[in-house]
Amino acid sequence: MLRKKRISYNKPCEELECIPTTLTTSKAFKTLFALDKQVTRNIRSSHIETRPVDSNGLWCCALIPAILISYSVAYKVSPLYKLVAFLGFGLLCYSILFSLFLYMSTLILYSKLNAGCIVSMLLSTVPIYVYTDFGLAMALVFSVLAVYPYSMLLKLALVQCPRTFTVGEAMIMCQSVVLFIVTGVAIYYTEFVTPELLAKDNEMTFIAIYVYTVLSTVGLIVTALYFLQDEDKNLKVLGIIFAFGAVFALTVLHLCLGKTCLPDFVYYIIGSQVRLHLFTMWSVLVVLTVLVLMYHTEAGDKATTSARKAYHILGALVFLTGILNDVPFMVLASGISAGIIILLEALRLSRIEPISAALQAAFDIYCDEKDCGVLAMTPIYLYFGLACPLALVPWRGSKMELELMSGVLATGIGDTAASWFGHRYGVNYWPGSSRTMEGTAFNVGLQMVAVYFLHLFEWLDAPHWVVRTGVAAAVSALVEAQTQQVDNVVLPLVSLLALQATSFLA
């Protein structure tokens, strides 16, 4: 009997054409494959280096817009959420046009404004004007604030960050950044100009102000570090930058929340026994993580895949406990933590000693083959995967914990389980992949077991959880087995879409 030849995960994409599967022989797949292949040729001919994998992942551009639009259609959401969903539609339109332009040439990467931008702005302006109360002028303003920065940021990510992103990954991350920033602008606009469009929720308003203040402060600090001259890269100047950042943050918080902004923040944490317990547990986990990280960095031992996956489990534990016990507090904590992660990466790249050297040493220990670019995206991707459902799901006290846990299930539990079990016991490989069928099966099984125990101990109330979890776990596991895009980014989004597709059972 002839033994089936295993195709390497990183072989040239031409070899994948000979995989005899129904998917690869379909007309739609051949068309997409030809498009992707031509985009790859054009990018390489222009000496632009994307992350070295066979696929550009152009399909990824539809994930976030599809989630936002599906929730807008299926649920009664706020005008603000509809605004963001329609802006996401505009970004999707531009992403499609951008892919088609890349198919023809890479000139779009160097143009400041093109017809694709204008068309996409108009395509998002019309539904905002028709289906929300923002008015034509504001609909156009928000569309311009979303589509044009997205086009510039996408080009910057591909041209100025070599070997860091695939095209699809760059689209996801740029969509996330732009939509998050425009959401903050829209929140302040509705709060001070048209408050009737913003559903009043004092707790969520308090949280949003703190999250956006922290992230905007981090943005200012990162900008200052980027433009810092070599002779000014020292601890003294860094201290001055941080001091100005602190003054800026306190000023904004004082203007928005009053002179008791800091005491109110402390009381918000310690005033609830549940929040105090969560904060204490998370603090202990962070301290232990830092100590382990310092130990391995000092020893100089290169971290194994299992060691890296341990951080997936710790992250999943933090988000799981927060989602099941106090979603608003989890939103606050995740927003502030995102700022800290971004700031640490900026400090690593700042070349301010000894901080940069220490962070670089830790990165060298825990980086993997995906971290071949200028940015350390692995921890950012992991955090994005765990936290993105908190930003995408229109949670307002309703029972949607299963959707909020899509990142925990797909990345923290499923992907970790597939990696461990497949590495140890896997023997049957998927065609064209280094992932095993045994790992995929264990991925699905462990996700369902996790939800079963949460339901058994009444920590989770999710009707028809068996069908919904089964579908979402199967879809995310199959994508994990076949995709060459970063798992931590695409799996939570795919899982969330699958859960939304079965939401009629809830």
Side-chain angles (χ1 to χ4, degrees):
M1 179 183 293
L2 293 176
R3 189 173 182 179
K4 183 186 291 186
K5 183 180 178 182
R6 190 177 115 206
I7 301 177
S8 173
Y9 189 85
N10 290 318
K11 284 190 178 181
C13 53
E14 286 81 357
E15 296 188 14
L16 299 180
E17 293 179 309
C18 60
I19 301 173
T21 64
T22 304
L23 177 63
T24 56
T25 55
S26 67
K27 186 175 180 180
F29 181 87
K30 287 182 177 179
T31 302
L32 293 174
F33 184 79
L35 172 65
D36 190 274
K37 211 160 116 177
Q38 183 60 40
V39 168
T40 300
R41 290 196 192 101
N42 289 340
I43 287 176
R44 289 176 179 173
S45 66
S46 298
H47 305 290
I48 295 171
E49 295 183 279
T50 56
R51 194 168 64 81
V53 292
D54 299 333
S55 171
N56 292 297
L58 301 176
W59 57 275
C60 295
C61 69
L63 292 176
I64 291 178
I67 291 170
L68 293 170
I69 293 170
S70 64
Y71 274 113
S72 297
V73 173
Y75 296 94
K76 185 178 180 181
V77 297
S78 66
L80 182 60
Y81 193 93
K82 287 183 180 180
L83 170 68
V84 177
F86 293 137
L87 292 176
F89 174 71
L91 299 187
L92 172 61
C93 294
Y94 179 79
S95 300
I96 295 173
L97 294 173
F98 182 83
S99 301
L100 294 176
F101 288 143
L102 277 183
Y103 173 77
M104 294 181 286
S105 74
T106 55
L107 291 177
I108 190 174
L109 291 173
Y110 305 100
S111 63
K112 293 184 178 180
L113 183 64
N114 52 69
C117 269
I118 298 173
V119 170
S120 302
M121 291 172 191
L122 295 176
L123 288 175
S124 62
T125 299
V126 172
I128 293 173
Y129 173 66
V130 173
Y131 294 105
T132 70
D133 297 323
F134 280 94
L136 181 59
M138 289 309 303
L140 182 59
V141 168
F142 280 120
S143 296
V144 172
L145 288 177
V147 176
Y148 182 70
Y150 171 66
S151 69
M152 300 305 294
L153 191 60
L154 181 58
K155 297 166 190 175
L156 183 68
L158 294 174
V159 176
Q160 299 297 326
C161 300
R163 301 173 64 85
T164 303
F165 307 99
T166 64
V167 178
E169 292 163 3
M171 287 177 174
I172 289 178
M173 300 311 294
C174 293
Q175 285 175 357
S176 303
V177 171
V178 169
L179 289 177
F180 192 83
I181 293 174
V182 175
T183 300
V185 174
I187 287 175
Y188 285 109
Y189 171 77
T190 52
E191 177 71 18
F192 297 110
V193 181
T194 58
E196 66 277 2
L197 296 179
L198 185 64
K200 283 298 179 182
D201 186 333
N202 292 333
E203 183 180 15
M204 293 308 295
T205 300
F206 174 84
I207 289 171
I209 290 173
Y210 258 97
V211 169
Y212 277 99
T213 300
V214 169
L215 291 177
S216 60
T217 303
V218 170
L220 291 175
I221 294 175
V222 170
T223 303
L225 292 175
Y226 179 80
F227 288 104
L228 206 60
Q229 299 297 319
D230 289 340
E231 59 270 18
D232 295 325
K233 292 182 177 181
N234 54 65
L235 293 178
K236 179 180 179 181
V237 174
L238 181 64
I240 295 173
I241 293 174
F242 272 80
F244 275 107
V247 171
F248 169 80
L250 290 174
T251 302
V252 173
L253 291 174
H254 180 79
L255 292 174
C256 295
L257 300 175
K259 60 183 179 181
T260 61
C261 55
L262 292 183
D264 289 344
F265 179 79
V266 175
Y267 180 76
Y268 181 76
I269 298 175
I270 67 174
S272 166
Q273 191 174 18
V274 172
R275 293 190 198 111
L276 183 58
H277 288 166
L278 286 172
F279 179 77
T280 303
M281 184 189 73
W282 295 344
S283 300
V284 171
L285 289 176
V286 168
V287 171
L288 291 176
T289 301
V290 171
L291 291 176
V292 171
L293 184 63
M294 292 173 61
Y295 171 78
H296 283 290
T297 303
E298 187 69 24
D301 299 327
K302 182 68 176 178
T304 62
T305 301
S306 299
R308 287 192 291 268
K309 293 299 181 181
Y311 288 97
H312 288 224
I313 298 174
L314 287 174
L317 180 62
V318 169
F319 276 86
L320 181 63
T321 52
I323 291 170
L324 294 179
N325 291 282
D326 196 319
V327 175
F329 186 47
M330 186 71 254
V331 172
L332 175 63
S334 61
I336 295 175
S337 299
I340 295 174
I341 292 175
I342 295 171
L343 183 58
L344 289 175
E345 175 61 8
L347 289 173
R348 183 183 74 88
L349 298 173
S350 67
R351 290 181 294 166
I352 297 177
E353 305 302 343
I355 298 175
S356 296
L359 293 174
Q360 183 63 42
F363 169 72
D364 291 337
I365 294 297
Y366 282 92
C367 66
D368 62 11
E369 68 279 357
K370 296 184 182 69
D371 291 311
C372 54
V374 296
L375 300 177
M377 294 304 297
T378 296
I380 296 175
Y381 284 150
L382 174 60
Y383 200 83
F384 172 88
L386 294 171
C388 67
L390 294 170
L392 296 173
V393 177
W395 181 89
R396 286 297 180 270
S398 58
K399 292 292 183 180
M400 301 183 76
E401 285 86 355
L402 192 58
E403 286 90 336
L404 293 173
M405 290 196 309
S406 59
V408 173
L409 293 172
T411 299
I413 296 176
D415 182 38
T416 303
S419 176
W420 175 80
F421 194 84
H423 178 72
R424 283 180 172 267
Y425 306 107
V427 292
N428 299 297
Y429 289 85
W430 288 99
S433 173
S434 66
R435 278 68 180 269
T436 65
M437 298 180 184
E438 291 82 3
T440 300
F442 195 69
N443 181 339
V444 176
L446 197 60
Q447 287 191 57
M448 296 198 66
V449 168
V451 177
Y452 168 75
F453 278 104
L454 292 175
H455 192 269
L456 179 66
F457 291 105
E458 298 182 349
W459 291 331
L460 177 67
D461 182 15
H464 303 284
W465 67 268
V466 177
V467 176
R468 300 189 69 200
T469 305
V471 170
V475 171
S476 65
L478 290 174
V479 171
E480 187 271 340
Q482 297 295 331
T483 188
Q484 296 184 30
Q485 308 309 301
V486 175
D487 300 338
N488 297 342
V489 175
V490 300
L491 295 188
L493 299 176
V494 169
S495 180
L496 190 53
L497 271 176
L499 287 171
Q500 176 59 15
T502 58
S503 62
F504 64 91
L505 296 174

